[in-house]
Amino acid sequence: MINLATPDIGDAERERVQAVLDSGQLADGPQVRKFETEFATHCGVSHAVATANGTTALHAALKGLGIGSGDRVLTTPFSFIASANAVRLAGAEPIFADIAPATYTLDPDSVERTIAAHDGAVDAIIAVHLYGLPADMTRLRRIADEHDIPLVEDAAQAHGAAVSGEPVGSLGDVACFSFYPTKNMTTGEGGMVVTDDPVVAGRTERFVNHGRGDEGYTDVGHNFRMTSIAAAIGLAQLECLPEYVATRREYATILTDALSATDLTTPVEPSDRRHAYNQYTVRCRDRDGLIDHLTAHDIGCGVYYPTPINEQEAYSGVTADTPEAKRAAAEVCSLPVHPALEQREIERVGEVVQTYG
């Protein structure tokens, strides 16, 4: 069986975890601070706040920006539901713009139309770097600046991606990462908020630790802290991240070459962006047939995401015009591309898909 995702956990992770266990500082110790520092350096920013998972990172980042009751946050309907759930958890309401069909990320033209339709009453934008491809941050940055609102990067799937040579995490006012086992690097469960804004960083840091600051409990917060065990795994994984992403990109090239003669639509990489290939996602009109074919040949695959967020029951009262997201949800299928695979296995994926279409 060729799995869709397999975390790469080795001796370095085990040794670091054992050192934490031996130290007795399991909760929020020095390994967490070290991981924050090194991850901030990786992103080219001044501050990082570790959290329990990617959803808490988004929630805490929004609170750090001061987003709350009565606010509207624009985001994509074509993402994991946490992108919108975090908005509601912060007390605000999500509104949805459509995606660009080639990249599956927010379409800046749709963003501008959606803001206009709400008479400019939008308080933040969350751009999701879906599948590891950064959104069009150049235009989205311009739009956010024109409306004097913060731009948030949901980089949960994009560790190691970049725009014009600048790493994701450094492109918005604040950025959020997930370290779930299927991501480009993992801590088991975990998240990170990164920013250059010391005020946002301070609010976020207090929020994830019960609202505690230097002068006591000055705010109301949650316990969203990362464990030292998770941070120890993250430190080892961060050292391997460049190699992981390079392998994903190499495997993506092999798949794209293998599928060039098929009817499938393969991923694009705009000239100003570096894709990190958390997922290698193709588009197929007969997706169910492709899935059945892959399954019959013991090749894992997945659909991310079969239902746009605005069509989920939890968002049944939300009105949004997102036809491109709806079409993508009916056609996308992700293939294995993770670095735990060997090249011969990636080549086999390509060969099996070739025999389908």
Side-chain angles (χ1 to χ4, degrees):
M1 183 71 188
I2 296 178
N3 295 321
L4 179 61
T6 302
D8 184 15
I9 302 296
D11 290 341
E13 287 84 356
R14 295 183 181 92
E15 290 170 5
R16 287 177 182 264
V17 167
Q18 187 62 56
V20 169
L21 294 175
D22 292 343
S23 76
Q25 294 182 290
L26 307 186
D28 190 30
Q31 292 299 305
V32 179
R33 303 288 84 78
K34 181 176 175 61
F35 186 33
E36 289 171 332
T37 298
E38 294 194 8
F39 199 81
T41 299
H42 164 76
C43 292
V45 298
S46 303
H47 307 279
V49 180
T51 72
N53 54 60
T55 306
T56 59
L58 282 165
H59 185 180
L62 291 171
K63 298 302 286 188
L65 289 168
I67 297 296
S69 178
D71 290 333
R72 290 171 171 164
V73 179
L74 185 152
T75 191
T76 171
F78 196 56
S79 178
F80 184 53
I81 199 168
S83 300
N85 282 354
V87 176
R88 281 194 169 167
L89 291 168
E93 277 300 314
I95 60 175
F96 298 101
D98 209 357
I99 62 169
T103 64
Y104 308 111
T105 60
L106 272 177
D107 176 6
D109 291 335
S110 181
V111 170
E112 290 184 320
R113 291 193 298 268
T114 303
I115 292 175
H118 288 82
D119 298 322
V122 173
D123 300 284
I125 297 171
I126 297 177
V128 178
H129 303 323
L130 199 69
Y131 304 142
L133 178 67
D136 187 348
M137 293 300 289
T138 302
R139 285 196 60 194
L140 293 174
R141 176 78 274 172
R142 189 179 307 129
I143 293 168
D145 289 346
E146 287 173 356
H147 292 274
D148 193 26
I149 57 177
L151 177 59
V152 180
E153 297 177 72
D154 181 341
Q157 301 178 2
H159 321 64
V163 176
S164 300
E166 298 298 320
V168 299
S170 67
L171 307 171
D173 295 284
V174 64
C176 306
F177 292 82
S178 167
F179 303 121
Y180 189 72
T182 59
K183 308 306 183 187
N184 287 9
M185 59 170 286
T186 186
T187 61
E189 280 275 18
M192 191 76 76
V193 180
V194 300
T195 182
D196 271 325
D197 188 326
V199 175
V200 172
R203 287 177 182 160
T204 303
E205 188 174 43
R206 291 192 297 275
F207 187 73
V208 305
N209 190 23
H210 298 288
R212 183 178 181 178
D214 293 337
E215 299 179 359
Y217 295 93
T218 55
D219 304 307
V220 175
H222 280 280
N223 177 2
F224 283 171
R225 297 183 304 243
M226 177 180 282
T227 70
S228 295
I229 293 172
I233 296 171
L235 284 164
Q237 290 271 302
L238 184 58
E239 291 179 356
C240 299
L241 181 60
E243 179 184 348
Y244 288 160
V245 174
T247 301
R248 287 177 180 273
R249 288 177 57 80
E250 176 188 350
Y251 287 175
T253 298
I254 292 171
L255 287 175
T256 297
D257 289 345
L259 305 184
S260 61
T262 71
D263 292 333
L264 301 179
T265 301
T266 54
V268 301
E269 184 179 58
S271 59
D272 65 331
R273 293 177 239 178
R274 183 176 189 262
H275 204 316
Y277 289 102
N278 176 246
Q279 300 288 348
Y280 184 93
T281 301
V282 298
R283 200 159 181 159
C284 179
R285 291 186 178 180
D286 180 20
R287 181 176 65 199
D288 289 345
L290 175 60
I291 291 172
D292 289 345
H293 181 72
L294 291 166
T295 302
H297 287 82
D298 293 329
I299 293 175
C301 59
V303 176
Y304 306 106
Y305 297 91
T307 305
I309 297 172
N310 56 296
E311 295 185 7
Q312 298 282 0
E313 184 176 353
Y315 291 87
S316 58
V318 175
T319 300
D321 182 24
T322 58
E324 293 298 346
K326 189 178 183 71
R327 276 191 280 270
E331 296 178 356
V332 293
C333 180
S334 295
L335 307 177
V337 74
H338 57 89
L341 297 173
E342 297 181 6
Q343 182 171 323
R344 61 178 178 80
E345 292 176 303
I346 286 293
E347 291 170 350
R348 179 167 172 254
V349 173
E351 291 166 0
V352 168
V353 177
Q354 283 176 338
T355 63
Y356 170 77

